[in-house]
Amino acid sequence: MTKQVTNENINDKGHLLIGGCDAVDLANQFGTPLVVYDVAKIRSQIRKFKAVFEQSNVDYAVCYASKAFANTAMYQLVNQEQGHIDVVSGGEMQMALHAGFPASKMSFHGNNKSSDELKMALEKHVGVIMLDNFHEINLLGNLLNDMNTTCDVMLRITPGISAHTHEFIQTGQTDSKFGFDLESGQAEQAFKKVKANERMNLLGIHAHIGSQVFELKGFEMAASKLVDLAAEWKQKFDYETKVINVGGGFGIRYTDEDEPLKPEAFVKNIVETIKARTKATGIKMPAVWIEPGRSIVGNAGYNLYRIGSRKDVPGIKSYVSVDGGMGDNIRPMLYDAEYEAVMADQPLRKPIENVHLVGKYCESGDVLIKDQPLPETKPGDVIVMLDTGAYGYSMASNYNLNPKPAIVFVENGKPQIVTRRQNYDDLYELDNPLN
Ligand code: LLP
């Protein structure tokens, strides 16, 4: 039984509460599978990150990495909390603009931004373009000439640090498709190219070392390397780095076995490292930007499913199926990600068995949770997977032509549908019949 749910998250019927709403009622009212976000948790996490900077008296930006979860309401929420965002495609940019998010607070990332996407970023006056490779410097240079304009840029550096996490989500090691390598001198070459272009205003440098990182050490090393690089460029080229962006990746708790520091503790440490290192190297304290994705939305999200069929393989195991699966959360299959689940109507009831909680997709690997402890269950019961808020819906698919779930935001006990459930008609909306 998870330590996550306590008497505080339960109402007088004994049902799980999400943001003050009864989880069984949410499933009944909006149907399943359903993605629910507790808005207060999202707001609180953004505020905690901001508080670290305010307390340290450092110029900053908390740029929500919107690939973790994006819809119109989410962009509006981040804007209400005066956050910045990181976008990685024309699609994310467009949705954020549609939500009224100020372009000036967007950072545009990506290792293969198209000419059209870069043009769009310039036309919409996106705050900063995070330059990732030489091809992009040329592409952007040409567009700036054609459009007779200028823009702010930063250089994405690969600092040669590999974070201890699942190998698919490492991005900071030297052998990476992202960014300019420090060791081989690519970073300096890129610096010179950008500085030679009067239309590009170099704000500073960026590194992202990985995702779901639990150790402070990786961030400390990356932050120090970035300051050292800034000091080197100051000394060699008299260039003053105005922004150091340390990316995201702050690990969160998924199961009782995870014991991460609080996400804001990582940031405190990073800020202190940068402060100490700038002092030691004698350069001016730059603004510090972070790009948390998972740590802002992960623990705020819940996936609600209804239990359907059950298969008991005598002497081996039991499979309990739900009405969603790999289409709404691919992470268990893709990364061996682990989650916990509780019954919506009896979250604290003592388990009587361990089962494989499986989805409804036509793949044996469609397992959401292995060996999930459960009390007695029956078809129709609502089960809630916890901490599904990051990279769940954002990586959802229509595999097997299952429609994507609805998304409900709850705040102060009030639910609101912020993304409607796909229906069957939506599934062929893009198709043309055969001529
Ligand atoms: N900044 C950059 C440049 C990134 O590449 C990423 C994530 C972030 C920020 C946000 O990282 P976060 O704080 O969310 O860890 N689909 C994978 C995660 C991929 C992360 C890719 N980059 C997953 O489901 O675990």
Side-chain angles (χ1 to χ4, degrees):
M1 212 157 58
T2 174
K3 289 189 215 138
Q4 274 227 77
V5 178
T6 62
N7 282 323
E8 278 175 32
N9 323 104
I10 285 175
N11 64 10
D12 47 12
K13 289 186 196 156
H15 294 182
L16 179 72
L17 281 173
I18 304 175
C21 292
D22 182 315
V24 177
D25 290 348
L26 289 171
N28 289 341
Q29 188 178 349
F30 301 106
T32 53
L34 185 69
V35 176
V36 180
Y37 281 92
D38 180 342
V39 172
K41 284 192 179 176
I42 300 177
R43 290 193 198 278
S44 143
Q45 197 49 55
I46 300 176
R47 289 175 194 178
K48 282 182 194 160
F49 281 130
K50 291 173 80 170
V52 173
F53 293 105
E54 306 276 350
Q55 280 154 16
S56 335
N57 212 6
V58 169
D59 199 6
Y60 70 96
V62 175
C63 312
Y64 168 60
S66 64
K67 75 201 82 177
F69 166 63
N71 72 354
T72 305
M74 182 63 198
Y75 284 123
Q76 289 174 326
L77 185 56
V78 178
N79 196 23
Q80 281 180 0
E81 293 298 323
Q82 281 129 33
H84 290 227
I85 52 167
D86 132 14
V87 295
V88 294
S89 67
E92 286 187 356
M93 214 188 316
Q94 175 69 30
M95 188 186 276
L97 290 168
H98 161 77
F101 199 93
S104 61
K105 289 169 139 187
M106 297 182 193
S107 320
F108 186 22
H109 266 287
N111 68 303
N112 193 24
K113 303 176 193 79
S114 70
S115 181
D116 283 350
E117 287 175 318
L118 287 170
K119 194 166 167 219
M120 177 175 171
L122 293 176
E123 279 169 359
K124 304 294 179 188
H125 305 291
V126 158
V128 52
I129 295 176
M130 315 300 283
L131 292 171
D132 193 280
N133 54 74
F134 293 107
H135 167 72
E136 186 180 33
I137 297 179
N138 293 336
L139 209 56
L140 184 66
N142 293 340
L143 284 168
L144 289 169
N145 284 339
D146 292 350
M147 296 168 71
N148 189 22
T149 185
T150 61
C151 73
D152 286 348
V153 298
M154 290 183 66
L155 287 172
R156 177 164 182 172
I157 308 293
T158 323
I161 291 151
S162 52
H164 288 238
T165 179
H166 195 288
E167 64 170 331
F168 291 158
I169 42 184
Q170 285 184 4
T171 47
Q173 72 276 39
T174 296
D175 181 9
S176 159
K177 73 168 180 174
F178 296 107
F180 298 99
D181 176 36
L182 205 51
E183 257 167 58
S184 67
Q186 281 178 5
E188 186 170 314
Q189 235 180 304
F191 170 84
K192 286 181 177 157
K193 254 183 109 86
V194 169
K195 287 304 288 173
N197 187 325
E198 285 183 349
R199 296 185 183 275
M200 295 185 193
N201 174 38
L202 183 63
L203 285 187
I205 43 183
H206 167 282
H208 170 79
I209 60 165
S211 203
Q212 184 63 356
V213 181
F214 277 7
E215 293 104 31
L216 288 175
K217 194 88 198 130
F219 291 112
E220 268 175 31
M221 285 164 65
S224 298
K225 275 209 174 182
L226 290 178
V227 178
D228 289 354
L229 185 63
E232 190 185 323
W233 287 352
K234 172 71 188 157
Q235 201 224 341
K236 267 185 163 165
F237 311 109
D238 197 28
Y239 168 76
E240 194 173 286
T241 300
K242 286 170 232 58
V243 180
I244 285 187
N245 184 331
V246 292
F250 318 122
I252 64 163
R253 180 204 174 286
Y254 282 100
T255 70
D256 281 341
E257 271 154 40
D258 297 333
E259 285 173 358
L261 291 168
K262 291 204 163 76
E264 55 277 18
F266 290 98
V267 179
K268 192 156 185 274
N269 192 263
I270 289 167
V271 171
E272 278 162 12
T273 304
I274 296 180
K275 266 192 172 171
R277 199 84 197 142
T278 47
K279 220 170 173 191
T281 54
I283 59 167
K284 247 176 123 177
M285 181 70 190
V288 179
W289 291 11
I290 55 169
E291 294 172 335
R294 186 191 315 273
S295 50
I296 286 183
V297 286
N299 297 134
Y302 302 76
N303 278 15
L304 275 52
Y305 303 104
R306 246 178 234 285
I307 286 176
S309 67
R310 174 185 182 113
K311 176 177 174 183
D312 298 299
V313 187
I316 300 187
K317 65 168 72 85
S318 298
Y319 294 93
V320 170
S321 302
V322 299
D323 53 0
M326 62 184 282
D328 50 75
N329 188 0
I330 190 73
R331 298 194 71 255
M333 278 182 87
L334 198 54
Y335 310 118
D336 288 327
E338 292 182 9
Y339 290 89
E340 291 173 339
V342 295
M343 301 308 296
D345 64 344
Q346 44 180 351
L348 293 180
R349 181 101 174 260
K350 251 190 131 138
I352 55 159
E353 60 175 353
N354 281 4
V355 304
H356 269 31
L357 192 71
V358 298
K360 63 172 291 183
Y361 292 73
C362 291
E363 289 208 29
S364 301
D366 177 25
V367 179
L368 287 171
I369 304 181
K370 289 180 185 153
D371 297 317
Q372 167 67 39
L374 284 184
E376 196 182 330
T377 60
K378 59 181 184 318
D381 284 350
V382 177
I383 187 162
V384 183
M385 238 168 107
L386 306 169
D387 306 304
T388 53
Y391 305 103
Y393 189 88
S394 69
M395 294 203 293
S397 75
N398 283 128
Y399 185 44
N400 290 176
L401 294 187
N402 284 306
K404 289 189 195 171
I407 306 174
V408 168
F409 273 18
V410 295
E411 193 167 23
N412 302 322
K414 288 201 189 77
Q416 185 204 346
I417 293 204
V418 286
T419 297
R420 74 158 168 82
R421 183 180 301 286
Q422 277 188 325
N423 57 39
Y424 289 145
D425 289 339
D426 291 327
L427 298 173
Y428 41 79
E429 198 187 44
L430 307 177
D431 292 358
N432 287 324
L434 195 61
N435 281 328

